[in-house]
Amino acid sequence: MIDYSTVKSFILHPERCVREFVAEFFAESNIGDADVVQLLLDAYERGVEQGEGWGILRNVSMLPQTEATLRRLQKIDASDYNTIAHIDKAIVESDLELLRKFPGIRPKLPQNISILDNRFRLAAMKTEKLWEELWHHSESGMGHNLEEFDYEYGGLIVKELSARQDFPVDKYLERIQMVYPEDYSGWDETYLCALSGELRSEESLPFLIRTVKIDGDFVPERASEALAKIGTASVVEAIGREYLNEEIPFRIHATGALGNIKTEASENLMLELLQRRRT
């Protein structure tokens, strides 16, 4: 249970660093709470320096929206690119049913208009077709780096697919059992990480722990994000079993996951690991 009077006192705190810390806590720890969005917008409307204003809107865009918060965002006098981009992101990632009710609330930037159009198009597709579309798109990126491949389009498919009541669990479980060769240059693992996080799938823990161990940046980072989204005691235990036996790259990504799991178990493990490393 969140004590909103305490949250409000911190978000409206006179010290900027305190306000920013609390905003980032909610935005980056997968604690979806629309009431916090209202408090952040209260802070924004009270008047802040431009840089902090961008930070507040960035955090707002990472949290769930309601009709009330979208209307407040729409009323902001956005004349610079960063402000428009953050407001656009909040709109683009809102629930589609909510956006269908309010056709006047739409993004402004062309690229974000295109993203929302894709979301509506994907929402009209059957689940089986969406599943096929994801892996067809992933295959099309084989051998291409992030600059050459539209990774974000696959991310849109993942979000739509993972929300379906008839999500193909059996096919997903088959996929996470696959072990890709070390020289694999495709995107399947990154999309499986994204699916695991969206599904909050504890069945994916062996796959995610294995993926965090991959030598690189992008793929293990996605696995770390998924572990944080799942955020259960089982995740903390799985990281704890592996941590001290692994090299620095694993420890960095695993610590990132633990840091975004705001539970007592995660905090205790980080303290324990710190003590054990010192001895």
Side-chain angles (χ1 to χ4, degrees):
M1 181 68 70
I2 297 173
D3 181 352
Y4 288 103
S5 61
T6 302
V7 174
K8 183 175 183 178
S9 69
F10 282 120
I11 289 179
L12 300 180
H13 195 278
E15 292 293 332
R16 174 176 173 174
C17 61
V18 175
R19 297 194 299 267
E20 290 180 343
F21 174 81
V22 176
E24 289 173 2
F25 174 90
F26 283 95
E28 297 178 1
S29 60
N30 306 296
I31 303 175
D33 197 306
D35 289 326
V36 173
V37 178
Q38 296 278 24
L39 294 175
L40 290 172
L41 291 175
D42 288 345
Y44 183 88
E45 291 170 0
R46 284 181 58 172
V48 291
E49 183 268 329
Q50 187 180 61
E52 184 181 358
W54 290 339
I56 289 174
L57 293 178
R58 172 186 172 274
N59 289 318
V60 163
S61 75
M62 298 167 66
L63 291 164
Q65 306 301 318
T66 63
E67 176 188 351
T69 61
L70 286 176
R71 290 199 180 283
R72 289 181 74 177
L73 286 168
Q74 190 181 37
K75 290 178 181 178
I76 292 175
D77 182 17
S79 55
D80 65 274
Y81 179 85
N82 285 339
T83 301
I84 294 170
H86 291 314
I87 294 173
D88 269 12
K89 185 175 184 290
I91 295 170
V92 163
E93 298 195 1
S94 295
D95 181 76
L96 290 182
E97 289 304 313
L98 180 62
L99 292 176
R100 286 190 180 100
K101 293 178 183 178
F102 304 102
I105 299 177
R106 291 294 183 268
K108 295 181 178 180
L109 299 173
Q111 62 269 33
N112 292 322
I113 294 171
S114 176
I115 290 172
L116 188 55
D117 286 344
N118 274 328
R119 284 195 66 199
F120 279 120
R121 182 178 60 81
L122 293 170
M125 294 172 63
K126 293 184 177 180
T127 301
E128 182 179 352
K129 178 64 176 174
L130 270 178
W131 179 260
E132 294 171 356
E133 178 77 0
L134 176 59
W135 304 117
H136 174 74
H137 180 66
S138 180
E139 185 179 355
S140 74
M142 184 72 73
H144 296 299
N145 60 36
L146 192 59
E147 289 72 32
E148 301 167 333
F149 175 62
D150 187 1
Y151 174 76
E152 297 302 327
Y153 176 68
L156 296 179
I157 302 174
V158 165
K159 287 189 176 181
E160 177 61 34
L161 187 59
S162 61
R164 296 294 178 93
Q165 293 295 318
D166 58 344
F167 177 82
V169 176
D170 290 346
K171 292 181 179 179
Y172 161 73
L173 293 176
E174 285 181 13
R175 285 261 177 184
I176 61 174
Q177 298 301 320
M178 296 173 61
V179 178
Y180 291 84
E182 289 187 8
D183 61 351
Y184 176 70
S185 61
W187 296 85
D188 285 12
E189 293 163 308
T190 59
Y191 288 133
L192 284 170
C193 288
L195 275 173
S196 298
E198 293 296 325
L199 294 168
R200 309 299 197 265
S201 168
E202 288 197 340
E203 292 89 345
S204 69
L205 291 186
F207 161 74
L208 292 173
I209 293 294
R210 188 170 71 242
T211 306
V212 173
K213 297 177 183 180
I214 291 176
D215 183 18
D217 294 320
F218 194 76
V219 178
E221 283 177 4
R222 304 292 81 76
S224 174
E225 290 170 1
L227 288 168
K229 281 190 174 182
I230 298 168
T232 61
S234 296
V235 172
V236 176
E237 292 167 6
I239 292 174
R241 285 193 298 270
E242 302 286 335
Y243 189 91
L244 292 175
N245 296 321
E246 293 298 327
E247 299 299 324
I248 294 297
F250 174 89
R251 294 183 182 187
I252 291 172
H253 295 301
T255 302
L258 290 174
N260 284 323
I261 299 173
K262 309 300 183 182
T263 65
E264 185 176 351
S266 178
E267 292 172 0
N268 288 340
L269 176 59
M270 286 193 286
L271 290 173
E272 177 188 339
L273 293 173
L274 181 60
Q275 290 283 25
R276 292 175 66 179
R277 287 177 61 187
R278 286 177 173 174
T279 58

